[in-house]
């Protein structure tokens, strides 16, 4: 029977055993769990391994019910020093007992499938498979004279596949992959399904190419699954220090897998030290973004747009900055890709749009003629109708003329859905700017599909075009085309006098870039506008 002060590991293990082996009674949990033959066995084996100790007083050498002794336990860090042993022994025993149970089930021809479907049963099977896998890998790490590689992979957008085709179909895919792994893995090549769609293979090799060949072979087999093309992402860690904990090796393969998922050029990536940093960064952003909005850490910066001939400000672009109280200034390239993935960009954009409206209102109130200010509209907004409403509400709330708020959209592919959404925005009366033109993804077709008012030439495009005579001709023709189509044209990222002169000669009058001005806090921009007004 349970005594006060019994080691918590025992209680926890009892519950696990109870649930896994299906003998716990929810109405009388303690009696049932503690009075069972299996749990007696556990306590017996635990006591033997712990040299007769089962309660906290013995394990810690202090009595936790006495405040004085409790203070000593805390002061001397006794829990950290003495409890890990009990925890490790419990895990080891649990694994052994669960494995014995499975053996019993198999030997007596009780199929686990016959047992009513029960989550615990599948967890049980998983624990045992995992244990086998780890044992084999440890053995390999200990004895192999060849190199050892960890390959971890998963399916890109598996959640979407599950949502679209149903979980049963998702399970079918996982079974299929497992079957291919069983057929592909040879001697000293071990695999396991870690969770959901994440698999891992550990294998021997001599040259790194062998790992890639293995992956390609596996991929070919996986690709024979029905009509659907599965996109996989593979992370590889090649073991350089065999004394490292196996979990750490796994973590490294996992980091490489996550990086591979984001890489558009290759779906196989080998672990590099930098991954750790970028994962920390992602975690930092995800954990801090909510507070950043609540505490107004996001700041709107404005970068003026100039007319070369008039030599005056004709507009501005709003660019977000994250002023973190400890980390300092964080630039959009560090956090926008991450918050675009998790959808949080919507909140940040709404925030910046409101700041812009507020700024324009302020100019009106103070009788300073304001120029149009453009905001960036992430692609994420174009997936639903919310942004149109948000923009209308803001314009009403701050009573600003619609033509002073311009929208920058980056169209990265010919996408009819995006074009439709852009068309809707245009119909409501917004000025649409096509951002990053010539950055590699945009095509001339988009100009046909979507009613942009202006194109913004990407910095790289302008730079590249100016280095050769051929490039200059292309750039000239783009400017000519824009003029003929009555599209406005603005060159971004202009840094030098030579660029300004060339652009002017070509007929591109509007520019934005460090040559004239860097993005600045809104107060500074306001002062600039005031000066220009005088
Ligand atoms: P973008 O929309 O193409 O913005 C122009 C970027 O070029 C800005 O970088 C700006 O600071 C930088 N830039 C301007 N002139 C020069 C120059 O002469 N030389 C160089 N080297 N750079 C110049 P920033 O502010 O770091 O923003 C990067 C990107 O992040 C933006 O590219 C935009 O795609 C995105 N972004 C920024 N703010 C927001 C926002 O509020 N919402 C959304 N959705 N995206 C934003
Ligand atoms: Ca932009
Ligand atoms: Ca741009």
């Amino acid at each position: 029977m349970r005594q006060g002060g019994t080691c918590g590991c025992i209680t926890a293990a009892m519950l696990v055993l109870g649930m896994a082996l299906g003998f716990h009674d929810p109405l009388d949990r303690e009696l049932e769990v503690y009075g069972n033959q299996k749990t007696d066995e556990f306590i017996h084996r635990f006591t033997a391994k712990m040299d007769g100790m089962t309660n906290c007083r013995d394990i810690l050498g202090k009595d936790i019910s006495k405040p004085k002794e409790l203070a000593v336990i805390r002061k001397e860090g006794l829990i950290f020093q003495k409890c890990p042993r009990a925890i490790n022994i419990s895990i080891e025993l649990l694994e052994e007992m669960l494995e014995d149970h499975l053996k019993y089930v198999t030997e007596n021809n009780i199929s686990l499938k016959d047992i009513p479907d029960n989550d615990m049963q599948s967890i049980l099977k998983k624990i045992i498979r995992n244990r086998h896998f780890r044992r084999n890998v440890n053995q390999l790490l200990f004895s192999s004279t060849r190199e050892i590689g960890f390959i971890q992979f998963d399916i890109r957008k598996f959640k979407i596949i599950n949502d679209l085709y149903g979980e049963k179909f998702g399970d079918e895919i996982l079974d299929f992959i497992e079957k291919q792994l069983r057929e592909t893995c040879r001697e000293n090549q071990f695999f396991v399904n870690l969770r959901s769609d994440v698999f891992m293979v550990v294998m021997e090799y001599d040259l790194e190419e062998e790992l890639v060949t293995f992956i390609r072979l596996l991929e070919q087999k996986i690709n024979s699954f029905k009509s659907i093309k599965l996109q996989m992402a593979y992370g590889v860690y090649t073991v350089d220090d065999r004394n490292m904990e196996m979990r750490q090796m796994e973590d490294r393969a996992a980091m490489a897998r996550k990086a591979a998922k984001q890489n558009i050029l290759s779906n196989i990536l080998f672990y590099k030290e930098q991954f750790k940093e970028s994962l920390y960064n992602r975690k930092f952003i995800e954990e801090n973004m909510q507070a950043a909005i609540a505490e107004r850490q996001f700041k709107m910066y404005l970068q003026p747009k100039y007319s070369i001939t008039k030599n005056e400000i004709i507009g501005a672009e709003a660019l977000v900055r994250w002023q973190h109280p400890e980390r300092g200034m964080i630039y959009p390239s560090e956090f926008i890709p991450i918050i675009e993935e998790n959808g949080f960009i919507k909140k940040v954009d709404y925030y910046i749009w409101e700041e812009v409206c507020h700024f324009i209102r302020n100019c009106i109130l103070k009788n300073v003629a304001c120029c149009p200010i453009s905001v960036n509209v992430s692609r994420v907004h174009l997936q639903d109708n919310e942004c149109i409403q948000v923009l209308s509400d803001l314009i009403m709330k701050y009573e600003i003329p619609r033509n002073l708020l311009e929208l920058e959209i980056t169209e990265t592919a010919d996408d009819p859905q995006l074009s439709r959404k852009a068309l809707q925005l245009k119909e409501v009366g917004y000025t649409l700017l096509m951002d990053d033109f010539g950055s590699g993804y945009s095509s001339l077709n988009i100009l046909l599909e979507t009613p942009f008012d202006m194109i913004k030439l990407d910095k790289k495009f302008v730079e590249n075009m100016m280095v050769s005579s051929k490039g200059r001709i292309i750039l000239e023709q783009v400017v000519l085309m824009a003029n003929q189509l009555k599209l406005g044209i603005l060159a971004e990222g202009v840094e030098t006098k030579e660029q300004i002169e060339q652009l002017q000669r070509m007929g591109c009058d509007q520019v934005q870039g460090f040559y004239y001005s860097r993005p600045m806090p809104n107060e500074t921009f306001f002062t600039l506008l005031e000066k220009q007004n005088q």
Side-chain angles (χ1 to χ4, degrees):
M1 205 40 160
R2 184 173 179 194
Q3 303 290 317
T6 304
C7 174
C9 294
I10 296 186
T11 320
M14 301 296 90
L15 285 174
V16 174
L17 278 178
M19 285 193 280
L21 311 184
F23 57 65
H24 102 264
D25 174 356
L27 293 177
D28 191 3
R29 183 179 285 172
E30 293 220 329
L31 191 79
E32 179 69 18
V33 167
Y34 273 87
N36 188 285
Q37 176 202 341
K38 283 283 171 199
T39 55
D40 281 348
E41 181 187 333
F42 181 90
I43 296 174
H44 182 72
R45 289 170 66 173
F46 180 88
T47 319
K49 286 203 179 213
M50 285 293 289
D51 312 318
M53 296 185 287
T54 49
N55 62 44
C56 301
R57 196 185 319 115
D58 298 334
I59 294 172
L60 297 170
K62 301 273 168 217
D63 187 348
I64 50 169
S65 64
K66 295 195 177 129
K68 240 193 191 161
E69 302 209 4
L70 195 59
V72 180
I73 290 173
R74 291 218 178 97
K75 188 160 168 256
E76 294 184 1
L78 288 179
I79 295 194
F80 280 114
Q81 283 172 34
K82 305 222 166 160
C83 293
R85 186 165 164 229
I87 294 173
N88 285 332
I89 287 177
S90 304
I91 294 174
E92 208 176 284
L93 279 177
L94 271 179
E95 285 182 344
E96 277 175 28
M97 289 180 67
L98 293 174
E99 193 174 356
D100 287 348
H101 179 69
L102 189 76
K103 243 191 231 145
Y104 168 82
V105 164
T106 350
E107 277 164 13
N108 290 283
N109 280 334
I110 308 170
S111 156
L112 276 179
K113 284 222 166 89
D114 294 340
I115 300 173
D117 201 17
N118 171 339
D119 283 350
M120 263 339 269
Q121 296 291 350
S122 63
I123 292 175
L124 172 71
K125 275 201 276 186
K126 197 156 240 160
I127 289 178
I128 288 159
R129 273 200 216 133
N130 245 304
R131 194 167 141 78
H132 271 299
F133 171 77
R134 272 168 223 291
R135 208 187 277 151
N136 286 332
V137 172
N138 270 325
Q139 179 65 29
L140 194 67
L141 285 165
F142 181 71
S143 61
S144 173
T145 50
R146 302 171 63 197
E147 302 289 336
I148 294 174
F150 280 57
I151 302 169
Q152 202 179 94
F153 64 94
D154 69 349
I155 305 170
R156 281 187 178 154
K157 309 212 164 78
F158 183 62
K159 199 183 160 299
I160 296 177
I161 297 178
N162 259 335
D163 289 347
L164 273 180
Y165 301 94
E167 277 185 21
K168 201 159 162 263
F169 187 78
D171 287 347
E172 225 178 286
I173 295 177
L174 299 182
D175 287 345
F176 181 80
I177 293 179
E178 198 149 337
K179 182 163 169 272
Q180 305 316 310
L181 278 166
R182 218 171 305 140
E183 284 172 11
T184 314
C185 286
R186 304 259 169 268
E187 202 192 344
N188 286 344
Q189 300 181 333
F190 306 106
F191 73 90
V192 71
N193 176 207
L194 288 170
R195 62 184 172 280
S196 174
D197 62 326
V198 184
F199 292 86
M200 192 159 72
V201 175
V202 176
M203 61 182 276
E204 287 181 313
Y205 70 94
D206 294 312
L207 298 168
E208 282 186 2
E209 291 92 86
E210 290 169 42
L211 297 170
V212 177
T213 311
F214 177 93
I215 292 173
R216 291 291 173 228
L217 175 68
L218 181 66
E219 187 159 63
Q220 207 181 355
K221 290 186 172 182
I222 292 175
N223 266 336
S224 62
F225 181 79
K226 296 199 170 162
S227 53
I228 167 170
K229 178 147 171 50
L230 297 171
Q231 288 185 352
M232 319 295 290
Y234 301 88
V236 186
Y237 172 61
T238 53
V239 178
D240 43 18
D241 172 9
R242 293 202 187 181
N243 292 319
M244 195 192 280
E245 291 242 356
M246 193 178 143
R247 298 256 177 217
Q248 246 175 307
M249 302 179 181
E250 257 180 83
D251 281 350
R252 295 188 168 193
M255 281 183 215
R257 168 178 62 81
K258 285 175 196 162
K261 254 183 150 165
Q262 263 137 62
N263 193 310
I264 26 175
L265 299 175
S266 168
N267 65 340
I268 306 178
L269 275 191
F270 281 68
Y271 171 82
K272 291 194 197 76
E273 280 294 332
Q274 302 97 279
F275 290 163
K276 225 192 290 178
E277 214 171 282
S278 73
L279 276 180
Y280 284 145
N281 187 44
R282 169 175 291 264
K283 199 159 162 266
F284 175 88
I285 286 160
E286 286 169 347
E287 282 171 0
N288 290 279
M289 60 191 190
Q290 300 279 3
I293 283 269
E295 291 165 19
R296 302 186 62 84
Q297 293 169 7
F298 289 110
K299 304 283 177 233
M300 170 191 67
Y301 270 50
L302 292 167
Q303 184 178 34
K305 298 172 186 173
Y306 275 83
S307 154
I308 304 177
T309 40
K310 292 188 203 149
N311 194 30
E312 65 176 37
I313 298 171
I314 47 158
E317 175 178 8
L319 295 159
V320 65
R321 300 286 179 266
W322 180 351
Q323 189 68 49
H324 190 270
E326 277 131 42
R327 243 180 84 170
M329 178 88 97
I330 312 175
Y331 285 88
S333 57
E334 278 184 76
F335 63 88
I336 295 227
I338 296 167
I339 62 172
E340 273 190 327
E341 255 174 58
N342 62 29
F344 196 74
I345 183 71
K346 279 187 167 185
K347 290 218 171 118
V348 175
D349 274 358
Y350 295 162
Y351 182 88
I352 295 294
W353 300 351
E354 179 145 17
E355 291 289 290
V356 169
C357 292
H358 187 256
F359 180 86
I360 296 175
R361 179 81 230 147
N362 193 36
C363 288
I364 296 173
L365 285 177
K366 295 196 170 137
N367 264 328
V368 173
C370 190
C371 53
I373 298 183
S374 59
V375 295
N376 288 286
V377 178
S378 161
R379 291 171 59 87
V380 176
H381 297 288
L382 303 177
Q383 288 161 6
D384 58 48
N385 286 322
E386 206 177 83
C387 71
I388 298 186
Q389 190 58 46
V390 172
L391 285 166
S392 307
D393 291 350
L394 285 173
I395 283 193
M396 287 241 289
K397 178 173 169 193
Y398 290 91
E399 297 177 61
I400 58 168
R402 208 179 285 266
N403 66 330
L404 287 186
L405 184 67
E406 299 184 339
L407 309 179
E408 296 198 5
I409 301 176
T410 310
E411 292 231 345
T412 49
D414 234 348
D415 182 340
Q417 194 202 344
L418 296 196
S419 297
R420 262 199 307 279
K421 193 53 49 78
L423 189 61
Q424 281 174 14
L425 285 164
K426 169 84 182 163
E427 274 167 358
V428 193
Y430 294 103
T431 303
L432 298 188
L433 279 54
M434 181 182 190
D435 205 354
D436 302 339
F437 185 87
S439 64
Y441 294 109
S442 49
S443 81
L444 290 174
N445 251 347
I446 294 171
L447 291 177
L448 206 61
E449 300 291 329
T450 317
F452 282 102
D453 298 286
M454 166 168 273
I455 51 184
K456 293 188 79 179
L457 299 176
D458 189 66
K459 174 177 192 294
K460 273 264 151 8
F461 183 69
V462 177
E463 261 170 19
N464 291 344
M465 286 302 148
M466 287 195 173
V467 291
S468 70
S469 53
K470 242 191 197 167
R472 276 193 295 274
I473 293 173
I474 294 176
L475 188 56
E476 234 166 56
Q477 293 304 312
V478 170
V479 175
L480 195 67
M481 174 195 72
N483 288 337
Q484 281 176 350
L485 290 173
K486 306 255 177 318
L487 274 171
I489 188 159
L490 175 147
E492 269 195 290
V494 177
E495 291 179 348
T496 63
K497 192 158 192 339
E498 292 76 58
Q499 287 175 331
I500 296 282
E501 286 165 0
Q502 294 230 28
L503 285 163
Q504 195 176 19
R505 221 174 298 129
M506 287 174 185
C508 176
D509 181 53
Q510 302 193 13
V511 290
Q512 177 185 345
F514 294 174
Y515 177 78
Y516 281 104
S517 170
R518 288 181 178 255
M520 56 185 83
N522 64 54
E523 302 83 10
T524 321
F525 183 70
F526 184 80
T527 316
L528 267 187
L529 273 187
E530 269 184 325
K531 256 192 217 144
Q532 186 164 298
N533 264 245
Q534 284 158 6

